[in-house]
Amino acid sequence: MSKENHSLTVDLILIGFTDHPDLKTLLFVVFFAIYLITMMGNLGLVALIFMERRLHTPMYIFLGNLAMMDSCCSCAVTPKMLENFFSEDRMISLYECMAQFYFLCLAETTDCFVLAAMAYDRYVAICRPLQYHTMMSKQLCIQMVIGAYIAGNLHSMIHVTLLLRLTFCGSHQINHFFCDILPLYRISCTDPFLNELMIYVFSMPIQIFTIATVLISYVCILFTIFRMKSKEGRGKAFSTCASHFVSVSIFYICLLMYIRPFEEGDKDIPVAIFYTIIIPLLNPFIYSLRNKEVISVFKKIMRNYNILKQTSSSKAT
């Protein structure tokens, strides 16, 4: 019991990735700008999909939830990182640390399942176009989204529960800019063998299942595209998949680089920055700038806004 109490009341220290005072100011400005753009881009995309009825299709429902999880990922990591640029102690309580890891794990796990669902949706749209509305009904789409959130929550809760069994009686310095699972193992006085085993038991099957779903879907898509006789049809099919393929490639390349054997060192910090901060920034632009329908809806909203603004100004005069 004394060990458990010691573990729960401990304060941890996030080292971050720089102590240089000049760099701190510059990095704060850069990451604060990235955070604002990320939140505006993702929440703006969610609002756009929610408001426009013609975007209430499986592809855009998945996209809206992906944007929501990217916002959750950014909110879990960036605010505390920004605070620590000018904090003297850079302290974080164990409860705050667990909450940060929980929401990050929730966002990333849910992202994996949503990206897999989007790959399946693209497979049905290109390989089974005549059966699309029966195979990808709105009910099935909602069930897949709910399943992704349930899996994300369960996965996060398992790892957080196992982290709470650890004790931190030596160094409380986490060699990272957020509370991630591997840096916490490195400073634990308790043998984290059970925790590491559970990563292989729960996390690896999730990665294998979602990556396999994406790969199989895209292999089938490529075979279908190469069998198409029409160049226009091939171009349209490539255009339909391009945004998702770019996004999922970046996501899984960074994920596989980040999830490596449990080794000591700072090599994972640059990848973690890209994985937790840059990818949530890129996703709304990858999907929006290449999507004619999203651009069309955005232009329509802007036209309506300008008309409303002109009407209100003419009434005022």
Side-chain angles (χ1 to χ4, degrees):
M1 181 66 74
S2 61
K3 279 189 176 181
E4 184 179 348
N5 289 338
H6 180 70
S7 175
L8 293 176
T9 56
V10 72
D11 285 327
L12 304 171
I13 301 167
L14 291 168
I15 298 291
F17 43 83
T18 183
D19 284 320
H20 200 286
D22 294 334
L23 277 179
K24 281 184 178 182
T25 305
L26 176 63
L27 288 172
F28 177 87
V29 171
V30 169
F31 283 115
F32 183 65
I34 289 173
Y35 179 63
L36 289 180
I37 296 167
T38 300
M39 297 307 293
M40 286 190 293
N42 283 292
L43 294 180
L45 191 58
V46 171
L48 205 68
I49 292 167
F50 179 78
M51 290 189 297
E52 185 58 39
R53 186 175 289 274
R54 67 176 154 143
L55 296 182
H56 293 178
T57 60
M59 183 176 75
Y60 292 106
I61 290 171
F62 291 137
L63 180 54
N65 283 278
L66 183 69
M68 185 69 74
M69 287 297 97
D70 282 342
S71 301
C72 177
C73 178
S74 188
C75 284
V77 173
T78 311
K80 188 65 180 178
M81 181 186 70
L82 293 173
E83 177 191 330
N84 284 345
F85 278 127
F86 299 107
S87 171
E88 291 183 6
D89 52 27
R90 286 177 276 190
M91 301 280 280
I92 183 170
S93 72
L94 190 64
Y95 283 122
E96 287 178 298
C97 192
M98 293 300 104
Q100 189 181 56
F101 174 74
Y102 171 82
F103 285 109
L104 180 64
C105 186
L106 166 66
E108 300 300 353
T109 306
T110 307
D111 268 358
C112 287
F113 283 102
V114 171
L115 287 168
M118 290 173 80
Y120 176 74
D121 175 70
R122 294 301 84 206
Y123 157 76
V124 177
I126 292 170
C127 303
R128 301 283 188 272
L130 299 178
Q131 300 170 294
Y132 181 78
H133 292 292
T134 53
M135 290 180 69
M136 279 304 298
S137 64
K138 192 174 283 189
Q139 183 180 2
L140 175 62
C141 173
I142 291 169
Q143 287 172 350
M144 290 170 82
V145 170
I146 291 171
Y149 280 106
I150 291 171
N153 271 288
L154 289 175
H155 188 227
S156 304
M157 287 167 62
I158 287 166
H159 288 301
V160 167
T161 302
L162 289 168
L163 281 171
L164 289 172
R165 65 176 280 275
L166 301 180
T167 54
F168 304 96
C169 51
S171 171
H172 293 168
Q173 294 186 343
I174 301 173
N175 191 21
H176 219 300
F177 61 94
F178 66 92
C179 284
D180 201 6
I181 197 165
L182 300 187
L184 284 169
Y185 291 170
R186 290 168 191 154
I187 64 168
S188 170
C189 304
T190 309
D191 183 4
F193 172 76
L194 177 62
N195 301 63
E196 293 174 1
L197 179 64
M198 290 301 105
I199 288 180
Y200 290 106
V201 170
F202 292 105
S203 302
M204 294 303 290
I206 289 171
Q207 302 308 326
I208 292 167
F209 171 76
T210 53
I211 291 172
T213 302
V214 171
L215 289 176
I216 292 168
S217 298
Y218 272 101
V219 167
C220 294
I221 287 167
L222 287 173
F223 274 119
T224 303
I225 290 173
F226 288 136
R227 284 201 302 264
M228 290 179 180
K229 296 178 181 179
S230 165
K231 286 185 179 180
E232 186 180 342
R234 265 181 278 175
K236 188 176 179 182
F238 273 121
S239 177
T240 302
C241 296
S243 298
H244 178 261
F245 184 74
V246 170
S247 177
V248 81
S249 299
I250 294 171
F251 180 85
Y252 279 113
I253 287 169
C254 290
L255 179 66
L256 293 173
M257 286 175 66
Y258 191 60
I259 301 175
R260 299 191 306 277
F262 309 112
E263 57 188 25
E264 192 76 33
D266 306 330
K267 294 179 182 178
D268 51 356
I269 290 179
V271 182
I273 292 171
F274 202 87
Y275 183 59
T276 59
I277 296 171
I278 305 300
I279 288 179
L281 169 71
L282 294 178
N283 273 342
F285 296 102
I286 290 171
Y287 285 103
S288 302
L289 294 177
R290 291 188 56 87
N291 193 305
K292 293 178 182 178
E293 195 137 18
V294 171
I295 292 170
S296 172
V297 170
F298 181 73
K299 286 180 178 177
K300 175 188 167 186
I301 290 172
M302 292 306 295
R303 278 197 304 271
N304 292 341
Y305 173 75
N306 288 331
I307 291 168
L308 187 64
K309 191 177 178 182
Q310 288 172 5
T311 305
S312 61
S313 62
S314 61
K315 282 182 181 179
T317 55

